[in-house]
Amino acid sequence: MAGEPDGTVAPNSLEELREGLGGAGYLASESAALVSYLAYRLGKPVLVEGPAGVGKTELAKALSRYAQRRLVRLQCYEGLDEAKALYEWNYRKQLLRIQAEAADTGWDDVQEDIFSKEFLMERPLLKAISAQEPVVLLIDEIDKADQEFEAMLLEVLSDFQISIPELGVVEASTRPLVLLTSNNTRELTEALKRRCLYLWLDYPDAERELEIVNLHVPELPEAMSRKLIEVVHMVRGLDLKKPPSIAESIDWARALIVLGATDIDKSVFDRTMSIIVKHRTDLDVVAERVGVRLGNGILGHAESG
Ligand SMILES: Nc1ncnc2c1ncn2[C@@H]1O[C@H](COP(=O)(O)OP(=O)(O)OP(=O)(O)O)[C@@H](O)[C@H]1O
Ligand SMILES: [Mg+2]
């Protein structure tokens, strides 16, 4: 691990980054580690796409923990605009300032004063650009913002500078590590994709998910976590409206601990399956297909196939 002069940490190799992320509580897949490493080395933003609950947001958080960089987060939503993403003048404070001014002060003096940094409210993008030390910038759920916002973002991401008419241009003195996440609710523009490295995060294989659950819920006995993963993967294999994600696996593991369950049998499953399945119609499908198998003792014995 290489300590940078500014106190942050930068990886010297792919393996180092992967281990570092592990130390920060994130078990990165091969591709997640690779793309993150390239983002560091090439200074390019990463666009992370994938289903809900597979660790898109957490990757950015883990990178910030590992690199000891501050996390600056912009949560996107419909109608998000520049005032909430870049900066906004603090009108109320400006007004008070004007009122407090002696009546004979000229407008020029007042204006110079009220459009200074003191009256500027920095929003996440400006915060990340103006930061003295390199940060991790998470632009979460970019697919929820409008296309116009995406266009504005493109400018910021290609120049790493923001122009404020009353103040001048704010240029980044350090490069933030930028991650954008998307749940695919709409197709992002080609222009945005072209500027980013691309990472598709999917549900992990059973081995990795087992490691993740063990990491988050170490109290769950190994035999139970294995069975839990087996069940979750089986449920994911059904044609559901909303398959369970890693987040649900972790929640389920925690719930089993709280309830003091010692096995995942049919009765435990029936009582707790709504933690991993959250649609009325899905519940019926799962109760029938998985519940019945558990009742027959078919699950939880990998060797019996
Ligand atoms: N590789 C991993 N290592 C450790 N924990 C993980 C990993 N992937 C996911 N998790 C855990 O799974 C949970 C869900 O992750 P996260 O919130 O990042 O999902 P997401 O993809 O951003 O979901 P959404 O699209 O709903 O926002 C978190 O508690 C996170 O800690
Ligand atoms: Mg997320």
Side-chain angles (χ1 to χ4, degrees), residues 7-9 17 20-21 24 26 40 57-73 134-138 177 179:
T8 61
V9 168
L17 175 60
L21 283 172
Y26 191 87
Y40 258 109
T57 303
E58 190 60 33
L59 175 59
K61 291 184 183 171
L63 278 167
S64 118
R65 290 195 295 270
Y66 156 70
Q68 293 171 30
R69 290 179 176 211
R70 185 156 59 95
L71 181 74
V72 178
R73 180 175 184 166
V135 300
V136 172
L137 171 61
L138 165 62
L177 186 63
L179 276 91

Side-chain angles (χ1 to χ4, degrees), residues 45-158:
V46 182
L47 171 61
V48 191
E49 283 195 306
V54 291
K56 301 184 294 295
T57 303
E58 190 60 33
L59 175 59
K61 291 184 183 171
L63 278 167
S64 118
R65 290 195 295 270
Y66 156 70
Q68 293 171 30
R69 290 179 176 211
R70 185 156 59 95
L71 181 74
V72 178
R73 180 175 184 166
L74 174 64
Q75 181 66 46
C76 299
Y77 52 86
E78 213 182 310
L80 173 64
D81 60 8
E82 299 192 4
K84 288 286 171 282
L86 292 178
Y87 66 88
E88 202 170 6
W89 289 107
N90 190 339
Y91 299 119
R92 214 169 310 164
K93 198 169 168 189
Q94 285 178 323
L95 207 62
L96 284 172
R97 177 79 184 79
I98 294 170
Q99 283 170 349
E101 201 62 59
D104 59 352
T105 314
W107 168 243
D108 283 349
D109 290 341
V110 178
Q111 185 184 2
E112 201 163 287
D113 192 35
I114 61 173
F115 288 109
S116 63
K117 270 217 157 119
E118 197 196 329
F119 296 89
L120 192 71
M121 293 193 284
E122 292 192 342
R123 302 301 186 200
L125 292 182
L126 182 59
K127 257 188 204 153
I129 294 245
S130 66
Q132 293 303 306
E133 76 296 344
V135 300
V136 172
L137 171 61
L138 165 62
I139 301 170
D140 214 12
E141 312 194 350
I142 175 70
D143 51 330
K144 301 239 172 80
D146 320 308
Q147 285 218 353
E148 299 86 83
F149 180 80
E150 217 180 296
M152 186 278 293
L153 192 61
L154 273 179
E155 243 181 83
V156 175
L157 291 184
S158 43

